[in-house]
Amino acid sequence: GAGVSQSPSNKVTEKGKDVELRCDPISGHTALYWYRQSLGQGLEFLIYFQGNSAPDKSGLPSDRFSAERTGGSVSTLTIQRTQQEDSAVYLCASSLRPGTGGNEQYFGPGTRLTVT
Amino acid sequence: GDSVTQMEGPVTLSEEAFLTINCTYTATGYPSLFWYVQYPGEGLQLLLKATKADDKGSNKGFEATYRKETTSFHLEKGSVQVSDSAVYFCALSKRGNTGKLIFGQGTTLQVKP
C-alpha cells in the first residue's frame, strides 16, 4: 500500500510570500502529525490532528502558521508571510492508534522549504 | 518538560565495529521509547521501540533496552555495516497523550569499509 506522501518535495519562496504544504496520510490512519526538521532546532512537533480536529497545536511557532485537515485525510500546512527562519524540512506522519503505548508513526519524505 | 538527550555526533566507525549510541530521557510517567533512522535521501523510519521498563526492542541487528532506573535507551549493534550509515534519532511519546514524539537531536553514524 501507499505510504505517506507530501508535496511539493521542494519549495523555494521569497520572504513575505505565503506557502502551502500538503500531506496525504496512509489510508485509514486517523492521526496525523506535522513536524519540522531544521539545523538549529532538530526535529520539532508542530501540530496533531485526530480526524479533522486539532487537539494539540502547541508546537506551532507563531500565528503565521496554520493547518487544516479535511475528510479525515489530506492535511495542508500554511505559512503566511514567510521568514528566513522558516526554512526547514517539514515532515508529516500518520498513525493508526495515537496515544497508546508503542504508537508507531509513519513519516513522509518531507517538503524542503527555502525562504530567500 | 519532557526531553530526550543523545550523544553528540558524528560517530565514525570501521565496518564490523561495535556501536553504542547513548540516549537518556526526562519524562513524567512511563513513556514509550523509540529509535528512528533516516538513511541518506530517505524519510524517517521506525527502527525499534520499547513500551515499558526492561523491554528490549530489536530489529536488523540493533537492540535497545528500556532502563527506567537510569532513564536510558541506548542503541547497540554488535557489528556495523557500511549500509548502517545514517542519522539515528531517539524519541519518546507519552501514553494516553496525543502520541506526539519528542526527539533527541540525532546522531550521525558513518561506517567506513
Side-chain angles (χ1 to χ4, degrees), chain A residues 15-37:
Chain A
K15 178 181 173 181
K17 301 284 191 184
D18 298 352
V19 294
E20 284 189 354
L21 312 179
R22 177 186 168 106
C23 172
D24 281 273
I26 293 172
S27 178
H29 280 194
T30 58
L32 186 148
Y33 305 81
W34 284 96
Y35 295 88
R36 180 168 71 173
Q37 186 174 19

Side-chain angles (χ1 to χ4, degrees), chain B:
Chain B
D2 301 332
S3 65
V4 175
T5 302
Q6 290 180 234
M7 64 187 288
E8 292 278 340
V11 174
T12 302
L13 296 173
S14 298
E15 207 165 22
E16 299 184 3
F18 184 86
L19 168 71
T20 301
I21 301 178
N22 290 337
C23 171
T24 58
Y25 68 91
T26 300
T28 56
Y30 302 93
S32 295
L33 301 174
F34 306 82
W35 278 99
Y36 277 82
V37 59
Q38 190 171 36
Y39 296 104
E42 298 185 18
L44 269 173
Q45 52 187 278
L46 180 66
L47 180 60
L48 53 84
K49 66 182 182 185
T51 59
K52 60 183 187 295
D54 300 325
D55 266 4
K56 178 186 283 188
S58 61
N59 187 24
K60 299 182 181 181
F62 291 88
E63 293 183 339
T65 301
Y66 189 140
R67 300 287 189 200
K68 190 172 187 304
E69 63 276 12
T70 55
T71 62
S72 64
F73 193 55
H74 305 322
L75 183 68
E76 296 183 336
K77 187 175 186 183
S79 176
V80 293
Q81 305 300 312
V82 172
S83 58
D84 294 326
S85 298
V87 183
Y88 293 81
F89 293 91
C90 186
L92 69 83
S93 73
K94 300 284 285 291
R95 193 168 295 120
N97 205 325
T98 63
K100 67 183 179 187
L101 291 166
I102 297 170
F103 287 93
Q105 61 267 48
T107 302
T108 300
L109 170 66
Q110 183 178 19
V111 181
K112 297 186 173 180

